[in-house]
Amino acid sequence: MKKRKRVVILGSINVDIILQLARLPKPGETMKLQGFETAGGGKGANQAIAAARSSADVHFIGRVGADQYGKQMLSLLQENDVNSEHVKIDADKPTGQAYILLQQSGENSILVNSGANAFIQKEDVENARQLIEGADVVVAQFEVPIPRIIEAFEIARQAGVSTILNPAPALKVPDELLELTDLITPNEVEAEMLTDIHVDSKTAQRRAAEKLKAKGAKNVLLTLGSEGAYYLTEADQEESVAAFKVEVADTTGAGDTFIGCLAAKLAPDFTNIAQAVRYATKASSLTVQKIGAIPSIPTEKEILAK
C-alpha cells in the first residue's frame, strides 16, 4: 500500500461569516444582503482539509477559543481526517472569525478578526517538534505570528523536511524566513508587495521569482488567479500553467485549495512539480464553482474525474 504523504500545517482556524451582496456598498450607503451563512474557514484549516481530501496524512498546529466556534472547528477538522492533537484551546481568546463580503460577480473582500490565531506560542511549536521532524512537508501562512513560522521552519530545515510558505495575507517576509523556505507561493498582490514587480507578463513573473530566489527562497510558485500559475525552480526549471475556464460562483478558498492540494501531491524533492501544479490548478477550478471555503473543496476522486 502506498504511504500517505505526511503534511503538517501551522496555521489559522476561523469561522467564515459569508455576507452575499450584489456589489460592495459605497461610503454611507445601506444595502440589503442577498444571503447570509456561516462556514468553516481560516487559511490553515482550508489548506489542511484540502490536503486531507487529496489523501494526505494531515496534522495541524494552531489555536481555537474555548467557545462554540472552537468546538465546531475542531469537529470539522476531525470529520475531515485532520489530526488536531496539537490544536490548543485558548481559554482567553475567541476563535478567529472572517467576514466575507461576497459579490454577485464571485469576487470577495475579507475582514478578519484573528482571535486565538494571533496567540500561538513558541511552546505550541516546540511541543510539536517530533511531529514536524517526522513530516514530509510543513506548510504555513501569515494568519499566524511570523516568529512561530520561523521556529517551525527551523525545526523542519534541521530535520531535512520541506517547507512551503504561503505569504498571505500580503506582508513583508523577513529574509530569515525566506532562507528557511523551500517553496514560496505568493499571488499577484503578494508577489508585487514582496518584489515591487507587477507580475503581468511572463518576463515580469520570472524577474519576481528570481528576486525571491535571490533573497533565499529555493523555489517560487506564483498563483495568478484566472491566468493560472507560474513556477521557477531551484534547478531553473520554469513553466506557465494555464487556468481552467469555468463559471465562477465564489473565489473564497480557491488559493487555499491550490496550496493544500499542492502540498499533498508535491514530492519532497519537487521533481513532480509540473504534475502537482496541474493537479492543484484543477482542484481550485472546482472550488470556485461553489460557495464557501471548506464546503467547496473537492476530494481527490472529484479532481481526478475531471
Side-chain angles (χ1 to χ4, degrees):
M1 185 175 176
K2 186 178 179 182
K3 178 178 175 288
R4 294 167 68 200
K5 185 175 181 185
R6 174 164 286 198
V7 177
V8 172
I9 306 278
L10 168 61
S12 56
I13 300 171
N14 292 332
V15 169
D16 290 347
I17 294 94
I18 304 165
L19 309 176
Q20 298 174 36
L21 61 167
R23 55 172 174 78
L24 294 180
K26 298 174 183 176
E29 180 182 14
T30 299
M31 290 177 61
K32 285 186 176 181
L33 292 177
Q34 296 180 330
F36 171 92
E37 61 181 295
T38 61
K43 299 191 75 62
N46 295 344
Q47 292 173 15
I49 289 175
R53 290 183 183 173
S54 279
S55 302
D57 174 21
V58 184
H59 297 251
F60 204 99
I61 304 168
R63 287 196 176 204
V64 294
D67 49 32
Q68 190 58 41
Y69 283 156
K71 291 177 184 176
Q72 289 174 8
M73 289 306 299
L74 284 173
S75 294
L76 185 61
L77 290 175
Q78 291 157 8
E79 288 165 9
N80 282 277
D81 296 321
V82 175
N83 186 303
S84 60
E85 179 183 349
H86 288 280
V87 177
K88 183 171 181 177
I89 298 173
D90 192 318
D92 300 318
K93 305 297 178 185
T95 301
Q97 299 140 45
Y99 295 84
I100 299 170
L101 309 180
L102 175 59
Q103 300 177 64
Q104 208 163 16
S105 64
E107 294 299 314
N108 66 67
S109 303
I110 303 175
L111 306 171
V112 176
N113 174 28
S114 297
N117 296 310
F119 293 89
I120 297 172
Q121 301 298 312
K122 184 173 184 175
E123 66 186 40
D124 299 339
V125 175
E126 189 58 39
N127 289 341
R129 174 178 286 272
Q130 287 187 325
L131 176 67
I132 294 169
E133 291 173 340
D136 292 305
V137 63
V138 176
V139 184
Q141 334 75 33
F142 282 168
E143 288 184 337
V144 298
I146 288 177
R148 304 293 84 82
I149 301 174
I150 292 172
E151 290 155 8
F153 279 21
E154 283 176 339
I155 294 170
R157 178 59 58 87
Q158 290 164 8
V161 174
S162 297
T163 57
I164 297 176
L165 178 65
N166 179 216
L171 296 171
K172 289 291 184 183
V173 184
D175 288 348
E176 179 185 5
L177 179 54
L178 280 174
E179 290 166 4
L180 294 167
T181 298
D182 291 307
L183 176 65
I184 189 168
T185 62
N187 66 16
E188 310 103 299
V189 174
E190 294 146 9
E192 186 167 355
M193 173 175 276
L194 295 174
T195 65
D196 295 318
I197 297 171
H198 186 52
V199 291
D200 57 349
S201 68
K202 186 169 181 178
T203 300
Q205 290 156 17
R206 182 176 177 103
R207 283 175 50 227
E210 287 175 336
K211 193 166 185 179
L212 288 169
K213 285 178 67 178
K215 288 184 175 184
K218 288 186 178 180
N219 302 271
V220 180
L221 170 60
L222 307 180
T223 58
L224 305 168
S226 61
E227 297 302 312
Y230 166 86
Y231 63 82
L232 179 65
T233 70
E234 187 177 16
D236 207 38
Q237 175 188 358
E238 70 173 335
E239 185 180 5
S240 296
V241 178
F244 290 80
K245 302 303 179 186
V246 296
E247 189 171 328
V248 175
D250 179 11
T251 58
T252 307
D256 294 333
T257 296
F258 184 101
I259 301 302
C261 290
L262 182 78
K265 298 303 177 185
L266 187 61
D269 60 3
F270 297 175
T271 50
N272 70 335
I273 189 168
Q275 296 92 334
V277 169
R278 283 180 173 78
Y279 178 89
T281 300
K282 189 181 292 186
S284 59
S285 75
L286 295 175
T287 298
V288 300
Q289 296 179 62
K290 298 179 181 178
I291 290 177
I294 289 172
S296 68
I297 296 170
T299 63
E300 181 177 48
K301 184 177 179 180
E302 290 170 332
I303 298 164
L304 295 177
K306 295 296 180 182

